[in-house]
Amino acid sequence: MSDGEATVTRVKRAYEQFLSGVNPPEGTVRSLVQESWVRSRSRGVADAPDVTSGAMSDSDFSEYRAAHRLAQVRPLITSLMLDDIADAGVVVALTDRRGRLLWVDGDRSTRGKAAKINFVEGTLWSEDQVGTNAPGLALNLDRGVQIIGPEHYASPVQTWNCAAAPVHDPTTGEVIGAIDVTGGDAAAAPFALAAVRSVVAAVERELRSVAVDLSPAAVLAGSLASRLTVLAGEPAWQAPGRAKHVLSPRHAEILLLLHLNPDGLSTDRLADLLSDDDLGAVTVRAEISRLRREVGDVLASRPYRLTGDVTSDVTDVRDSIAAGNLRTAVSTLGRGGLLADSLAPGISDAFDEVREDLRSAVFASRDVTALQAWASSPHGHDDFQAWTALHRSLPSGHPDAAIAAGRVRLLNRRFGI
């Protein structure tokens, strides 16, 4: 029998003794666990506790957790924990300060198993409600805690292991919730609690950096969306209230593809859109990780998608087309910037779509000034149909009519149209 198995057996016997009214011998069970058992028994915690006590309606719960402070840092937690341990047979849970599970993330199989013990979003896992468990005890004691199998008070939970630590408001020091890892052997390993504590430290630093500033300038900045520019100059990302950050072409491609696909992209689909070659999932995850370090935690996972409001000069072009501001659309598109330079299939397709939409709108508008703008742009330079339509649309004697006629003759000679 291994040391781990011996410990589990010893604790299980101590638990059975405790339930029979006999206090286990000193040292058999950790003091924090036995003290929690005593509190659980004195509070009348049931062996199969009702974790739905005080349940909210679906709409109230959605609104409540969306407004919770941990919603701001959930992408960071995903980046630091879930992306790396999603296949380790664990779930990552975020709670409020009462122990209500706000989010439970992880692979579908483990979440399904956790649901059988009602470890699901919206349920209450405080020590008062469930007895000894890591998130409830971490909140009660205001410290990181790891609970192994039979150390849990409720017997249905004793096949699980968990490690949790409280998260504090960096300004007031108040506990606002907890981060928990629950699952099989991985959650029982010594590194599990160390990993949770490390993530909590990063979360508290991030909360400090985005602490609420109610000055008029900050309120105004907070009302703005993040901005992605790829059509002129170097690609750049600018978050509200922060300096513009110049992007590498690859990172700009990733951000633009996610921006243009707001429902999100799987790892494999993102890889396909980025390269005709066999771009592996590991490479994509590595780029996403580097991108998060550069621009902050603006990407959620499973599927990958942008969080918060984002605008871009590409959508500016589309909006101008929809509004009929075609000369503005031609000017904003310019040469095409990253869209023209990129070899990524998804970016090339987006470029083709934008150009074709704009060209079609110009021809349909019968707006001579828009047609002139298109024909004079890099995209209309060799557009025989555009120069022909412009020549026919300009009145005789117009100074540009001769130029249009000459361009039609040139294109006819050059391409034999």
Side-chain angles (χ1 to χ4, degrees):
M1 182 181 296
S2 67
D3 291 344
E5 291 172 333
T7 299
V8 168
T9 299
R10 184 181 70 250
V11 173
K12 191 166 186 177
R13 287 174 182 166
Y15 173 76
E16 292 168 351
Q17 285 181 311
F18 178 81
L19 291 184
S20 69
V22 178
N23 287 329
E26 185 175 349
T28 306
V29 182
R30 291 184 294 159
S31 58
L32 72 85
V33 171
Q34 187 162 339
E35 290 165 4
S36 178
W37 285 356
V38 172
R39 289 193 297 270
S40 302
R41 182 169 59 186
S42 67
R43 292 165 181 159
V45 175
D47 188 51
D50 178 14
V51 295
T52 62
S53 176
M56 300 178 177
S57 67
D58 290 345
S59 60
D60 286 346
F61 177 66
S62 295
E63 184 177 348
Y64 170 70
R65 72 174 181 176
H68 196 276
R69 295 286 303 281
L70 289 180
Q72 302 175 59
V73 291
R74 187 180 173 217
L76 173 62
I77 297 167
T78 297
S79 174
L80 295 177
M81 295 192 74
L82 196 62
D83 288 353
D84 293 330
I85 64 174
D87 299 322
V90 300
V91 293
V92 176
L94 309 185
T95 83
D96 67 7
R97 64 183 179 182
R98 293 184 56 222
R100 188 181 300 278
L101 304 186
L102 301 176
W103 290 276
V104 178
D105 294 307
D107 73 276
R108 183 176 300 177
S109 173
T110 307
R111 282 189 285 122
K113 293 174 183 176
K116 293 179 180 179
I117 58 168
N118 275 327
F119 196 82
V120 294
E121 295 171 353
T123 55
L124 194 61
W125 280 73
S126 64
E127 188 188 35
D128 288 352
Q129 196 70 28
V130 185
T132 311
N133 72 96
L137 198 51
L139 292 167
N140 192 32
L141 300 181
D142 192 11
R143 55 172 285 194
V145 175
Q146 189 166 29
I147 298 297
I148 308 301
E151 291 181 333
H152 289 92
Y153 185 77
S155 59
V157 192
Q158 292 183 343
T159 57
W160 293 80
N161 307 300
C162 49
V167 180
H168 301 84
D169 183 303
T171 304
T172 66
E174 177 187 17
V175 173
I176 61 173
I179 299 175
D180 168 78
V181 172
T182 290
D185 292 342
F191 69 80
L193 181 55
V196 171
R197 284 173 169 156
S198 176
V199 172
V200 166
V203 164
E204 291 178 348
R205 286 195 299 271
E206 180 67 11
L207 287 171
R208 184 178 296 108
S209 72
V210 297
V212 176
D213 178 356
L214 296 180
S215 66
V219 172
L220 178 61
S223 67
L224 302 175
S226 295
R227 176 76 173 169
L228 174 64
T229 52
V230 298
L231 295 178
E234 294 180 295
W237 175 270
Q238 185 165 19
R242 298 189 179 183
K244 182 180 292 186
H245 179 82
V246 175
L247 299 164
S248 69
R250 176 61 88 199
H251 286 173
E253 289 168 348
I254 291 172
L255 287 170
L256 182 58
L257 288 170
L258 295 177
H259 176 49
L260 297 178
N261 294 274
D263 291 335
L265 296 169
S266 68
T267 304
D268 290 341
R269 180 56 179 157
L270 183 55
D272 290 341
L273 294 176
L274 285 171
S275 177
D276 282 326
D277 298 326
D278 187 14
L279 189 66
V282 172
T283 301
V284 171
R285 292 192 185 106
E287 288 291 355
I288 291 287
S289 180
R290 284 191 283 269
L291 181 56
R292 281 176 172 141
R293 289 196 294 270
E294 285 193 25
V295 301
D297 297 290
V298 299
L299 291 91
S301 299
R302 295 178 176 272
Y304 290 123
R305 60 197 183 280
L306 294 178
T307 60
D309 294 329
V310 178
T311 65
S312 73
D313 46 5
V314 175
T315 50
D316 288 348
V317 173
R318 290 180 167 179
D319 291 343
S320 294
I321 294 172
N325 300 324
L326 301 179
R327 285 175 292 171
T328 299
V330 172
S331 175
T332 303
L333 181 60
R335 181 185 65 83
L338 176 77
L339 274 68
D341 297 335
S342 177
L343 298 178
I347 302 297
S348 297
D349 288 347
F351 189 30
D352 289 342
E353 291 170 6
V354 169
R355 284 189 302 178
E356 185 56 37
D357 288 348
L358 179 52
R359 183 179 185 273
S360 298
V362 166
F363 275 83
S365 72
R366 301 184 183 277
D367 182 340
V368 176
T369 58
L371 189 58
Q372 283 180 297
W374 171 259
S376 301
S377 76
H379 316 292
H381 182 269
D382 295 328
D383 190 333
F384 179 81
Q385 289 181 313
W387 283 107
T388 300
L390 182 60
H391 176 236
R392 292 172 178 170
S393 300
L394 292 171
S396 177
H398 190 285
D400 289 336
I403 295 175
R407 184 58 61 85
V408 170
R409 290 194 298 270
L410 176 63
L411 291 173
N412 195 27
R413 287 198 308 271
R414 183 178 293 169
F415 300 111
I417 299 174

